[in-house]
Coordinates of all heavy atoms in Angstrom, one line a residue:
P12 N -33.2 -10.4 31.7 CA -34.0 -10.2 32.9 C -34.2 -11.5 33.7 O -34.3 -12.6 33.1 CB -35.4 -9.7 32.4 CG -35.4 -10.2 31.0 CD -34.0 -10.3 30.5
L13 N -34.4 -11.5 35.0 CA -34.7 -12.6 35.8 C -36.1 -13.0 35.6 O -36.4 -14.2 35.6 CB -34.4 -12.3 37.3 CG -33.0 -11.9 37.7 CD1 -33.0 -11.4 39.1 CD2 -32.0 -13.0 37.4
Q14 N -37.0 -12.0 35.5 CA -38.4 -12.2 35.2 C -38.8 -11.1 34.3 O -38.2 -10.0 34.3 CB -39.2 -12.2 36.4 CG -39.3 -13.5 37.1 CD -40.3 -13.4 38.3 OE1 -40.3 -12.4 39.0 NE2 -41.0 -14.4 38.6
E15 N -39.9 -11.3 33.6 CA -40.3 -10.2 32.7 C -41.9 -10.2 32.6 O -42.5 -11.3 32.6 CB -39.8 -10.4 31.3 CG -40.0 -9.3 30.3 CD -39.3 -9.6 29.0 OE1 -39.1 -10.7 28.7 OE2 -38.9 -8.6 28.4
I16 N -42.5 -9.0 32.7 CA -43.9 -8.9 32.5 C -44.2 -7.5 31.9 O -43.5 -6.6 32.2 CB -44.7 -9.1 33.8 CG1 -46.2 -9.2 33.4 CG2 -44.5 -8.0 34.8 CD1 -47.0 -9.8 34.5
T17 N -45.1 -7.5 31.0 CA -45.6 -6.3 30.4 C -47.0 -6.1 30.8 O -47.8 -7.0 30.8 CB -45.5 -6.4 28.8 OG1 -44.2 -6.7 28.4 CG2 -46.1 -5.2 28.2
L18 N -47.3 -4.9 31.3 CA -48.7 -4.6 31.7 C -49.3 -3.6 30.8 O -48.7 -2.6 30.5 CB -48.7 -4.2 33.2 CG -48.3 -5.1 34.2 CD1 -48.3 -4.5 35.6 CD2 -49.2 -6.4 34.2
R19 N -50.5 -3.8 30.4 CA -51.3 -2.9 29.6 C -52.6 -2.7 30.2 O -53.2 -3.7 30.6 CB -51.4 -3.3 28.1 CG -50.1 -3.5 27.4 CD -50.3 -3.9 25.9 NE -49.0 -4.2 25.3 CZ -48.5 -5.4 25.2 NH1 -49.1 -6.4 25.7 NH2 -47.3 -5.5 24.6
K20 N -53.2 -1.5 30.1 CA -54.5 -1.3 30.7 C -55.5 -1.0 29.5 O -55.2 -0.1 28.7 CB -54.5 -0.1 31.6 CG -55.8 0.2 32.3 CD -55.7 1.3 33.3 CE -57.1 1.6 33.9 NZ -57.0 2.8 34.8
Y21 N -56.5 -1.7 29.4 CA -57.6 -1.6 28.4 C -58.8 -1.1 29.1 O -59.0 -1.1 30.3 CB -57.8 -2.9 27.7 CG -56.6 -3.2 26.8 CD1 -55.6 -4.1 27.2 CD2 -56.5 -2.7 25.5 CE1 -54.5 -4.4 26.4 CE2 -55.4 -3.0 24.7 CZ -54.4 -3.8 25.1 OH -53.4 -4.1 24.3
E22 N -59.8 -0.8 28.3 CA -61.2 -0.4 28.8 C -61.7 -1.6 29.6 O -61.3 -2.7 29.5 CB -62.1 -0.1 27.6 CG -62.5 -1.3 26.8 CD -61.5 -1.8 25.7 OE1 -60.5 -1.1 25.5 OE2 -61.7 -2.8 25.1
L23 N -62.7 -1.3 30.4 CA -63.4 -2.3 31.2 C -64.0 -3.4 30.3 O -64.5 -3.1 29.2 CB -64.5 -1.7 32.1 CG -64.1 -0.9 33.3 CD1 -65.2 -0.2 33.9 CD2 -63.4 -1.8 34.3
P24 N -63.9 -4.6 30.8 CA -64.4 -5.7 29.9 C -65.9 -6.0 30.0 O -66.4 -6.9 30.6 CB -63.6 -6.9 30.5 CG -63.5 -6.6 32.0 CD -63.3 -5.1 32.0
S25 N -66.6 -5.1 29.3 CA -68.1 -5.3 29.3 C -68.5 -5.6 27.8 O -68.0 -5.1 26.9 CB -68.8 -4.0 29.7 OG -68.4 -2.9 28.9
G26 N -69.4 -6.6 27.7 CA -69.9 -7.0 26.4 C -69.0 -7.8 25.6 O -69.2 -7.9 24.4
L27 N -67.9 -8.3 26.2 CA -67.0 -9.1 25.4 C -67.3 -10.6 25.5 O -67.6 -11.0 26.6 CB -65.5 -8.8 25.8 CG -65.0 -7.4 25.7 CD1 -63.6 -7.3 26.3 CD2 -65.1 -6.9 24.3
D28 N -67.2 -11.3 24.5 CA -67.3 -12.8 24.6 C -66.1 -13.4 25.2 O -65.1 -12.7 25.4 CB -67.7 -13.4 23.3 CG -66.6 -13.3 22.2 OD1 -65.5 -13.1 22.5 OD2 -66.9 -13.5 21.0
R29 N -66.1 -14.7 25.5 CA -65.0 -15.4 26.2 C -63.7 -15.3 25.4 O -62.7 -15.1 26.0 CB -65.4 -16.8 26.5 CG -64.4 -17.5 27.3 CD -64.8 -19.0 27.5 NE -64.1 -19.6 28.5 CZ -64.5 -20.6 29.2 NH1 -65.7 -21.1 29.0 NH2 -63.8 -21.1 30.2
D30 N -63.8 -15.4 24.1 CA -62.6 -15.4 23.3 C -62.0 -14.0 23.3 O -60.7 -13.9 23.5 CB -62.9 -15.7 21.8 CG -63.3 -17.2 21.6 OD1 -63.2 -18.0 22.6 OD2 -63.6 -17.6 20.5
E31 N -62.8 -13.0 23.2 CA -62.2 -11.6 23.3 C -61.7 -11.3 24.7 O -60.7 -10.6 24.8 CB -63.3 -10.6 22.8 CG -62.8 -9.2 22.5 CD -61.6 -9.2 21.5 OE1 -61.5 -10.0 20.6 OE2 -60.8 -8.2 21.5
L32 N -62.4 -11.8 25.7 CA -61.9 -11.6 27.1 C -60.5 -12.2 27.3 O -59.6 -11.6 27.8 CB -62.9 -12.2 28.1 CG -64.1 -11.4 28.4 CD1 -65.1 -12.3 29.2 CD2 -63.8 -10.2 29.2
A33 N -60.4 -13.4 26.7 CA -59.1 -14.1 26.8 C -58.0 -13.3 26.1 O -56.9 -13.1 26.5 CB -59.2 -15.5 26.3
R34 N -58.4 -12.8 24.9 CA -57.4 -12.1 24.1 C -57.0 -10.8 24.8 O -55.8 -10.5 24.9 CB -58.1 -11.7 22.7 CG -57.3 -10.9 21.8 CD -58.0 -10.7 20.5 NE -57.2 -9.8 19.6 CZ -56.1 -10.1 19.0 NH1 -55.6 -11.3 19.2 NH2 -55.5 -9.3 18.3
K35 N -57.9 -10.0 25.4 CA -57.6 -8.8 26.1 C -56.8 -9.1 27.4 O -55.9 -8.4 27.7 CB -58.9 -8.0 26.5 CG -59.5 -7.3 25.3 CD -58.6 -6.1 24.9 CE -59.0 -5.4 23.7 NZ -60.1 -4.6 23.6
F36 N -57.1 -10.2 28.0 CA -56.3 -10.6 29.2 C -54.9 -10.9 28.8 O -53.9 -10.4 29.4 CB -56.9 -11.9 29.8 CG -56.1 -12.4 31.0 CD1 -56.2 -11.8 32.2 CD2 -55.3 -13.5 30.8 CE1 -55.4 -12.3 33.3 CE2 -54.6 -14.0 31.9 CZ -54.6 -13.4 33.1

């Protein structure tokens, strides 16, 4: 591929700490 991205949709980011937000991102 010239470029590649995978997109996944998770639940809304409520109540997550910064580490978990970064992980889900």
Side-chain angles (χ1 to χ4, degrees):
L13 301 174
Q14 274 183 325
E15 184 174 33
I16 191 161
T17 299
L18 295 177
R19 297 183 185 94
K20 183 177 178 182
Y21 289 96
E22 69 282 352
L23 283 171
S25 58
L27 301 177
D28 64 18
R29 186 181 196 157
D30 290 356
E31 193 58 25
L32 282 169
R34 180 176 174 70
K35 283 288 169 71
F36 175 77

